[in-house]
Amino acid sequence: MKRVFRDQKGQSLIEVVIAMAVFSVIAGAIMSVTLGSLNGLIQGGEETEARAFAEEGMEAIRSVRDHAWNVLTISPAQVGVSGSVWTLSRAASELIGNKFTRTITLTNVCRDGTDTIAVCPATYTDPHTKLVTVNVSWAPRSR
């Protein structure tokens, strides 16, 4: 029985290089997925928080409406609490937590001759109806 040995000095070096390349690709993919998930989680939390601030603004406007309808002439408005009652004050926007900006606008609602809501100017402006828009904006977190 005769054994033949060939010179294989460079083969193990090539195997190491290929293994490192495969490991780098897999590690890069795992990092990309992990960072993308983390970024999505943070953005989802910010959106949830912003939605809560918008709902708080709408609830505050409803509370003010229930106590004094005539106060709903202030626009743009900022909500606040005086004692245990929501109040409105004139402000272009409201900064919440040094991150979110809430803007509340109240506009008149017009109606046509059949009492259907119409684009202003129409037959008359309904004194008992207001369109309330609450907008919450923020600068997204940089990656």
Side-chain angles (χ1 to χ4, degrees), residues 109-129:
V109 173
C110 295
R111 298 196 181 263
D112 62 14
T114 62
D115 286 337
T116 304
I117 293 177
V119 177
C120 291
T123 305
Y124 68 97
T125 301
D126 187 348
H128 302 292
T129 308

Side-chain angles (χ1 to χ4, degrees), residues 14-30:
I14 291 173
E15 290 172 352
V16 169
V17 169
I18 291 173
M20 288 179 65
V22 168
F23 175 77
S24 297
V25 168
I26 292 172
I30 290 172

Side-chain angles (χ1 to χ4, degrees), residues 7-142:
D7 190 16
Q8 299 178 353
K9 290 181 181 177
Q11 185 174 353
S12 62
L13 181 62
I14 291 173
E15 290 172 352
V16 169
V17 169
I18 291 173
M20 288 179 65
V22 168
F23 175 77
S24 297
V25 168
I26 292 172
I30 290 172
M31 284 295 277
S32 177
V33 168
T34 303
L35 292 176
S37 298
L38 180 62
N39 191 34
L41 183 65
I42 290 169
Q43 285 180 350
E46 289 174 341
E47 288 176 14
T48 301
E49 200 171 356
R51 185 171 286 119
F53 288 132
E55 289 175 9
E56 178 189 56
M58 289 301 291
E59 288 299 322
I61 294 294
R62 285 185 190 104
S63 177
V64 169
R65 174 201 66 193
D66 293 345
H67 284 88
W69 176 257
N70 60 339
V71 176
L72 293 181
T73 58
I74 301 170
S75 183
Q78 174 178 332
V79 294
V81 178
S82 177
S84 62
V85 178
W86 285 103
T87 60
L88 285 181
S89 60
R90 185 171 304 279
S93 62
E94 171 184 13
L95 183 63
I96 304 170
N98 290 328
K99 183 175 190 174
F100 297 94
T101 303
R102 178 169 54 196
T103 306
I104 301 173
T105 55
L106 295 103
T107 55
N108 291 324
V109 173
C110 295
R111 298 196 181 263
D112 62 14
T114 62
D115 286 337
T116 304
I117 293 177
V119 177
C120 291
T123 305
Y124 68 97
T125 301
D126 187 348
H128 302 292
T129 308
K130 295 285 183 187
L131 173 64
V132 178
T133 305
V134 178
N135 184 29
V136 178
S137 60
W138 69 98
R141 182 178 173 203
S142 60

